[in-house]
Amino acid sequence: MNSTLETPSNLLTKNDPNWLIERRSKGLEQFEKLATPTVRDENWRFSRVGKMRTDGYNQLEEADTSRFDLLNERSNLISQRAGRSVFVDDATSIFEGVGTKLAQQGVIFLPILEAITQHSDLMEKYFLQESTELGSQKFFGLHAASVKAGSVIYVPKGVEVIDPIVNYYWTSGECVAVFPHTLIIAEDNAKVSVVDLFFSENVSNEALNISASNIHAGPGAKVFRKIVQNWNQETVSFQLDTTVAERDAQVKNIAVNIGANRARFESQTRIEGAGADVKMYSLTVAEKNQEFDQRTFQTHNANNAVSDLLYKNALLDKSRSIFSGLIKVAEGAQQTDAYQTNRNLLLDPRAEANALPGLEILANDVRCSHGATTGNVDEEELFYIMQRGISRRVAMQLMVFGFFEEIIDLIDNEELAENVRKLIHHKFDAKLS
Amino acid sequence: MNNTLEIKNLNVSIDGQAILKDFSLSIPKGEVHALMGPNGTGKSTLAKVMAGHEDYTVESGDILLDGDSILGQEPDVISHAGLFLAFQYPMEIPGVSIANFIRAARQSRLPEGEQIKAVEYYKDLYAKMDALKIDRSFTARSLNEGFSGGEKKRCEVLQMSMLDPKYCVMDETDSGLDIDALRVVADGVNLMRNQARAFLVITHYQRLLDYIVPDVVHVMYDGRIVHSGDKDLAKELEVKGYDWVKEEFTDAIVGA
Ligand SMILES: Nc1ncnc2c1ncn2[C@@H]1O[C@H](COP(=O)(O)OP(=O)(O)OP(=O)(O)O)[C@@H](O)[C@H]1O
Ligand SMILES: [Mg+2]
């Protein structure tokens, strides 16, 4: 099979402005030059790098439009929303804009390629400007060279978008490669909430995902981003996410990870303004031979800011997880509060959770903590629950869902929370016996 | 024997160490028995063995509910047989609300396919919470998580009253309660007292027994009951202490 990933055939130079042509070719160069990661690389410790094949997939020039109606219909997890996009194999399947009122206030919600045509200056300033430093630079390069699907959300000063903007990214074809991109720019005191959902049309289509997202939260902005990753288990996925928070910005990230065969998740947060407050929550439900490989980086370059990370993983069967997190507090970033917690619930003796928490602190007046716990279901809790007449199976369900609920509860959208519960139930119901 | 909780010559050990030694006790329905004894004498062990905790090894003896042995049964089966244990140290279950927990416990008592009627359930739950002076907002809170000592104990009694057990074992439900809470909890228990139900009340304090007046008081020492009497025994114990028990009642056993 001709592999786009060696030689992307779709350098979209035809309509691209010069700055983008440059960024794409730099990306391609990066992809071609950088070595394929090995486990000897600190950023890839414990990863099954051997399973990270990226060749053999094709980014489609044209998606199969006959799938669109059905997938648009299935893109229904959040009914109250400010806008919706649905992408299928990197083609726009439907795009519902934000409506005239928000548009008049200057809110931009557009597919990436259209935003490049219509708002070239804005895009030049923000698009593809933040890259991961956590090990997948090579793959970010390929993303930059290939990206054509995704949405841009721009909220100007002081404007509040109340309902969420929702992006669905689907794969449908055989051996497709997709490169979704979500770019969120919230100017001073703007407010916006965005949900990205990653789904496969069916359980068997093989796919490669290399997605990227960037949140840019200006002074006093409030950004809430939720991700639900439920690829099928024939998918290899890279999610390369970055957040930049300026003065007094408040950013909340929640990721729910259910799918993919291998899911590499890199999440990087850079605090550039005093008083910023960034929360990072993640919930992962792993089964069979799934691997969830999560790398995080919290950088504090400004004083009096807070970053708080909680990653929870529940592992069934022979699944694995890797959590590697680093907190870095720059010199002068005094009165920093930075926290990092990783909790792993092992539900099978064959499951494996690896935790590598780390701190690098160059300021002297900070409050930082990091910790990881890995354990089985607590037998005393189980006894307590069963003493009330509840069977072992139901008791296990209650405890595991209780473990999840700490994160699901934060989703703050009852419909989405309920849909997430359903997705997880679906994965679990047959397992707990 | 029907209508009785019977513990017969029970010997229990953990990690090879004997804890309950030829322990026997019989509580007919309609009665409240108090069990008192120094720290580490095996009271909680007894309670947990009755409830089917698997860490303990039962060397010999038997436990019968209404004439049927419950030894070796799973904790949920014993619960369905009618035994409720109010824990000395209730567990915190993160992410599981009180309302959902008790609902699951009630659901487990229904025949396959039958569902709890939500309206009735909440009506009952709120009535019992009101009686125990537990704020209704607690229904949404994670079970015991971040509860004060007294709140946990009240929540145990709430569960007990919601599950309608035949045999109630209360392990130091009074410890951690202030005087008002003690009265509230005691009232809750007294409301449940009837001819169809028996109680084993484990406590260190005679104070509780002023509110929940027992039919029989047992004194436990070194893994067995060494003396039994009426409610005045608790008062005597309060005055004389466990040294008195040791001197007065254990020589005969050691000598035997
Ligand atoms: N799981 C266990 N592992 C080891 N030893 C145990 C265990 N459970 C109980 N024991 C021991 O058994 C003995 C009896 O303990 P138990 O908790 O039954 O006492 P108790 O009478 O309830 O005391 P208290 O009044 O302090 O609650 C103690 O010596 C205790 O250390
Ligand atoms: Mg005890």
Side-chain angles (χ1 to χ4, degrees):
Chain A
M1 194 181 300
N2 174 27
S3 145
T4 37
L5 298 178
E6 303 303 331
T7 50
S9 59
N10 58 311
L11 276 183
L12 303 157
T13 48
K14 211 167 36 164
N15 300 315
D16 281 353
N18 283 336
W19 61 263
L20 184 54
I21 295 172
E22 268 166 41
R23 282 176 206 175
R24 286 197 190 280
S25 50
K26 206 179 118 220
L28 187 60
E29 200 182 302
Q30 196 170 312
F31 174 64
E32 284 169 348
K33 261 202 189 145
L34 292 178
T36 302
T38 72
V39 271
R40 284 184 298 280
D41 184 344
E42 183 59 30
N43 282 321
W44 293 88
R45 262 184 86 188
F46 299 116
S47 293
R48 287 194 181 131
V49 280
K51 298 223 167 175
M52 255 179 17
R53 216 170 40 91
T54 54
D55 53 346
Y57 301 94
N58 285 295
Q59 188 184 33
L60 302 183
E61 305 256 346
E62 306 268 345
D64 177 359
T65 54
S66 72
R67 315 309 306 151
F68 286 7
D69 284 350
L70 184 83
L71 294 177
N72 291 344
E73 211 166 292
R74 285 173 59 188
S75 301
N76 62 354
L77 271 67
I78 298 161
S79 39
Q80 182 146 345
R81 61 204 176 216
R84 176 176 72 141
S85 72
V86 179
F87 296 92
V88 177
D89 291 339
D90 268 0
T92 309
S93 170
I94 196 170
F95 204 96
E96 299 166 355
V98 287
T100 43
K101 191 159 167 263
L102 288 171
Q104 275 164 6
Q105 289 179 287
V107 174
I108 298 169
F109 173 48
L110 284 174
I112 292 274
L113 295 184
E114 276 178 51
I116 290 164
T117 325
Q118 295 179 30
H119 304 278
S120 185
D121 290 350
L122 181 77
M123 294 301 280
E124 182 174 1
K125 187 168 170 198
Y126 292 106
F127 186 47
L128 298 172
Q129 292 294 70
E130 295 289 330
S131 162
T132 180
E133 299 159 63
L134 292 170
S136 290
Q137 287 89 330
K138 180 181 172 74
F139 306 104
F140 184 83
L142 185 61
H143 173 89
S146 313
V147 55
K148 62 174 181 173
S151 65
V152 178
I153 296 123
Y154 169 83
V155 186
K157 260 185 201 170
V159 175
E160 298 195 355
V161 183
I162 305 299
D163 293 323
I165 289 175
V166 189
N167 302 307
Y168 292 86
Y169 297 110
W170 292 89
T171 63
S172 163
E174 259 315 309
C175 293
V176 295
V178 291
F179 302 90
H181 195 107
T182 300
L183 174 60
I184 303 164
I185 305 145
E187 298 271 36
D188 309 26
N189 302 313
K191 188 175 172 186
V192 66
S193 132
V194 177
V195 185
D196 285 340
L197 304 110
F198 299 95
F199 292 145
S200 306
E201 175 169 4
N202 56 59
V203 293
S204 62
N205 63 297
E206 284 182 43
L208 169 69
N209 166 64
I210 304 178
S211 62
S213 82
N214 173 228
I215 296 172
H216 193 103
K222 292 191 177 71
V223 179
F224 191 0
R225 178 164 181 255
K226 303 158 203 185
I227 307 166
V228 180
Q229 186 274 92
N230 191 27
W231 299 122
N232 68 20
Q233 292 188 23
E234 303 301 325
T235 302
V236 174
S237 175
F238 297 79
Q239 277 172 274
L240 312 174
D241 292 358
T242 50
T243 295
V244 180
E246 293 191 47
R247 186 177 195 90
D248 297 324
Q250 292 177 29
V251 181
K252 192 149 71 167
N253 279 300
I254 296 183
V256 177
N257 311 298
I258 301 168
N261 177 261
R262 285 198 78 269
R264 171 90 177 185
F265 184 50
E266 298 184 9
S267 171
Q268 199 160 307
T269 294
R270 215 173 70 232
I271 287 174
E272 293 293 358
D277 180 345
V278 181
K279 305 268 199 294
M280 291 141 281
Y281 303 115
S282 163
L283 169 61
T284 299
V285 186
E287 65 167 350
K288 297 179 187 158
N289 63 349
Q290 285 186 298
E291 178 177 293
F292 289 89
D293 181 5
Q294 303 164 331
R295 313 276 164 161
T296 68
F297 193 13
Q298 297 153 256
T299 306
H300 285 251
N301 288 333
N303 57 294
N304 288 85
V306 180
S307 70
D308 188 8
L309 177 148
L310 173 62
Y311 274 43
K312 300 184 87 168
N313 301 324
L315 298 113
L316 290 152
D317 308 324
K318 286 191 284 189
S319 61
R320 315 174 73 225
S321 70
I322 301 136
F323 171 80
S324 168
L326 179 64
I327 296 175
K328 189 174 173 182
V329 182
E331 214 176 329
Q334 303 295 10
Q335 267 101 47
T336 287
D337 280 355
Y339 308 105
Q340 185 193 87
T341 309
N342 169 224
R343 295 203 191 294
N344 301 307
L345 180 61
L346 295 178
L347 295 166
D348 191 300
R350 297 167 301 166
E352 176 190 327
N354 304 281
L356 299 159
L359 291 176
E360 189 182 324
I361 298 169
L362 302 173
N364 53 19
D365 181 15
V366 300
R367 272 191 295 177
C368 290
S369 74
H370 63 152
T373 56
T374 296
N376 312 102
V377 167
D378 187 302
E379 287 295 324
E380 291 302 317
E381 287 178 27
L382 193 60
F383 173 65
Y384 180 80
I385 297 174
M386 289 177 72
Q387 207 299 307
R388 289 354 182 191
I390 297 166
S391 68
R392 185 174 296 270
R393 180 188 152 86
V394 175
M396 288 282 279
Q397 273 175 355
L398 282 174
M399 289 166 76
V400 171
F401 280 95
F403 178 83
F404 299 155
E405 206 51 38
E406 189 179 5
I407 303 288
I408 295 176
D409 206 37
L410 298 168
I411 288 178
D412 206 30
N413 175 314
E414 204 30 58
E415 188 187 15
L416 179 60
E418 203 44 45
N419 280 318
V420 165
R421 284 186 195 104
K422 272 186 209 151
L423 290 175
I424 297 175
H425 264 285
H426 183 69
K427 190 160 180 173
F428 254 78
D429 275 357
K431 299 271 172 166
L432 294 176
S433 52
Chain B
M1 233 192 305
N2 269 339
N3 298 321
T4 307
L5 163 66
E6 281 178 285
I7 303 164
K8 288 184 177 167
N9 307 98
L10 197 64
N11 283 283
V12 171
S13 67
I14 186 157
D15 301 333
Q17 185 199 342
I19 298 177
L20 296 181
K21 299 166 186 173
D22 210 29
F23 185 102
S24 294
L25 174 64
S26 180
I27 311 177
K29 278 183 186 160
E31 291 189 7
V32 173
H33 289 213
L35 182 65
M36 305 179 83
N39 294 129
T41 201
K43 303 181 297 298
S44 294
T45 301
L46 172 71
K48 285 194 241 173
V49 169
M50 282 195 269
H53 198 294
E54 59 180 26
D55 279 0
Y56 302 93
T57 312
V58 177
E59 311 282 356
S60 60
D62 208 349
I63 305 172
L64 306 143
L65 287 195
D66 300 327
D68 297 323
S69 175
I70 54 166
L71 269 191
Q73 304 276 15
E74 288 283 308
D76 55 328
V77 175
I78 295 171
S79 171
H80 290 168
L83 186 123
F84 183 94
L85 170 59
F87 283 67
Q88 182 174 2
Y89 304 110
M91 299 303 296
E92 300 192 0
I93 316 287
V96 180
S97 70
I98 291 190
N100 284 345
F101 181 69
I102 299 178
R103 191 184 172 132
R106 277 218 176 160
Q107 181 71 50
S108 76
R109 286 161 168 78
L110 295 181
E112 190 79 24
E114 201 175 306
Q115 286 296 319
I116 293 256
K117 292 186 184 69
V119 177
E120 279 171 35
Y121 167 70
Y122 275 99
K123 210 174 135 199
D124 192 14
L125 181 64
Y126 287 145
K128 289 185 164 122
M129 289 178 83
D130 293 349
L132 289 164
K133 298 210 163 62
I134 300 173
D135 195 277
R136 289 185 181 190
S137 66
F138 267 65
T139 49
R141 284 184 59 178
S142 285
L143 185 61
N144 295 325
E145 200 181 33
F147 287 21
S148 73
E151 287 165 348
K152 282 182 184 167
K153 295 303 173 77
R154 255 183 285 187
C155 183
E156 292 292 287
V157 178
L158 173 67
Q159 293 173 47
M160 187 166 87
S161 65
M162 287 294 287
L163 297 180
D164 200 25
K166 289 185 278 186
Y167 297 99
C168 303
V169 179
M170 302 173 66
D171 193 356
E172 296 198 27
T173 304
D174 54 332
S175 49
L177 293 181
D178 64 37
I179 193 72
D180 291 341
L182 185 69
R183 206 168 285 145
V184 167
V185 162
D187 287 347
V189 171
N190 286 330
L191 273 177
M192 289 179 73
R193 280 180 86 157
N194 63 34
Q195 286 311 306
R197 188 175 283 135
F199 290 84
L200 178 63
V201 178
I202 298 170
T203 182
H204 286 292
Y205 303 105
Q206 116 79 21
R207 186 183 71 159
L208 174 71
L209 305 180
D210 286 339
Y211 297 103
I212 304 173
V213 181
D215 298 292
V216 185
V217 175
H218 305 281
V219 180
M220 187 170 173
Y221 196 90
D222 190 24
R224 73 204 93 188
I225 289 172
V226 293
H227 190 58
S228 303
D230 65 9
K231 63 180 172 13
D232 294 332
L233 175 58
K235 294 203 173 94
E236 199 174 358
L237 196 60
E238 181 114 319
V239 176
K240 295 180 173 167
Y242 287 118
D243 279 345
W244 165 68
V245 172
K246 195 175 166 190
E247 282 157 26
E248 203 71 7
F249 303 110
T250 58
D251 289 352
I253 296 162
V254 175

